[in-house]
Amino acid sequence: MDKEKIYTDTNRCKGCGYCIHFCPKDAISVSTVVNSKGYNVIQVDEEKCICCASCYRVCPDYVFEIR
């Protein structure tokens, strides 16, 4: 079985930072990309990410999907 992977819908991101704060591996950071709503969105370092779903649980905007 392949390792789970995290997927993001950055168009939903409003840059609140909850995911960054709660990530136990510091795998999420703010990027320089601005979405259609005018927010700097997050980026995930897939090398650091362990797919623990902390980001998924705290995100109020349903940016994350793990599959």
Side-chain angles (χ1 to χ4, degrees):
M1 184 165 98
D2 291 332
K3 179 185 174 211
E4 289 181 319
K5 185 175 176 183
I6 191 159
Y7 295 88
T8 59
D9 182 351
T10 54
N11 285 323
R12 293 178 171 209
C13 184
K14 66 177 182 230
C16 67
Y18 292 142
C19 58
I20 296 168
H21 179 75
F22 285 99
C23 180
K25 296 294 182 179
D26 293 323
I28 306 171
S29 60
V30 177
S31 75
T32 58
V33 176
V34 176
N35 67 10
S36 61
K37 296 177 186 175
Y39 297 108
N40 280 80
V41 297
I42 53 90
Q43 61 188 6
V44 178
D45 182 335
E46 293 184 19
E47 294 295 316
K48 292 181 179 179
C49 178
I50 58 171
C51 294
C52 67
S54 291
C55 55
Y56 173 82
R57 288 192 293 275
V58 300
C59 181
D61 300 303
Y62 306 101
V63 171
F64 300 93
E65 182 179 343
I66 298 172
R67 48 186 157 125

